Amino acid sequence: MKIRVNVSIAGAVLALVLVAATYFAIPYCIAEVPASADVGPRAFPQLICILAAIISVIQLVLVLMGKMPAKHQEISLETHGKTLLAMALALVAAILSSYISVVIATMLCSLLYLALLRVKDWRGYAAVFVTGGLLYILMRFALHIRF
């Protein structure tokens, strides 16, 4: 099944969501440092986020008013469904990694992805185990990362 998507509106809305998420994540990523100046370390990233949000809103308004030509594209839901499944499993792996090892969480979600796609070739599953094992050995013993 294919649907026709207005790429201009979708891009503006997606950019607005990403900018909002980044703006609200700044206090968790950048510590506030008491300084003698009025401008702290969060000022520049917040300014960039505000400017990007303004540009996204302007694009959205111009497209909705008809002042800017809208671009459309047909997308296949089957292909994009697999992409959304992979993104959802990546999010699950990120959440699981706070409870178990990041390598094991990623391996579990990769195996689940292969199973949901009904992959019957055993080499795909073996590749996940071998790659995960090698990454674990590399991180644990060569890079001395503790899990």
Side-chain angles (χ1 to χ4, degrees):
M1 181 175 163
K2 292 186 176 187
I3 60 171
R4 191 168 173 87
V5 175
N6 187 332
V7 179
S8 301
I9 291 177
V13 170
L14 181 64
L16 206 54
V17 168
L18 290 175
V19 164
T22 304
Y23 185 83
F24 289 115
I26 288 173
Y28 299 105
C29 299
I30 302 172
E32 189 62 43
V33 177
S36 59
D38 291 335
V39 178
R42 297 180 186 172
F44 184 70
Q46 288 175 335
L47 178 66
I48 295 297
C49 287
I50 291 169
L51 291 175
I54 290 170
I55 291 170
S56 295
V57 168
I58 289 172
Q59 178 181 351
L60 194 59
V61 168
L62 289 176
V63 169
L64 291 175
M65 290 176 51
K67 302 286 184 185
M68 181 180 196
K71 298 174 187 170
H72 291 84
Q73 183 175 356
E74 281 191 15
I75 61 170
S76 169
L77 290 180
E78 181 180 325
T79 305
H80 289 285
K82 292 176 184 177
T83 305
L84 290 175
L85 176 63
M87 292 171 60
L89 286 173
L91 180 64
V92 169
I95 293 169
L96 277 177
S97 66
S98 63
Y99 300 106
I100 59 176
S101 169
V102 66
V103 176
I104 295 172
T106 305
M107 285 175 57
L108 288 175
C109 288
S110 299
L111 292 171
L112 182 61
Y113 183 72
L114 290 174
L116 290 174
L117 292 182
R118 296 185 185 105
V119 174
K120 293 184 172 91
D121 189 6
W122 63 271
R123 289 178 284 196
Y125 298 95
V128 170
F129 279 112
V130 169
T131 305
L134 290 175
L135 281 175
Y136 181 79
I137 290 169
L138 174 72
M139 290 177 162
R140 179 75 176 165
F141 300 109
L143 299 175
H144 304 292
I145 297 174
R146 293 184 183 186
F147 297 106

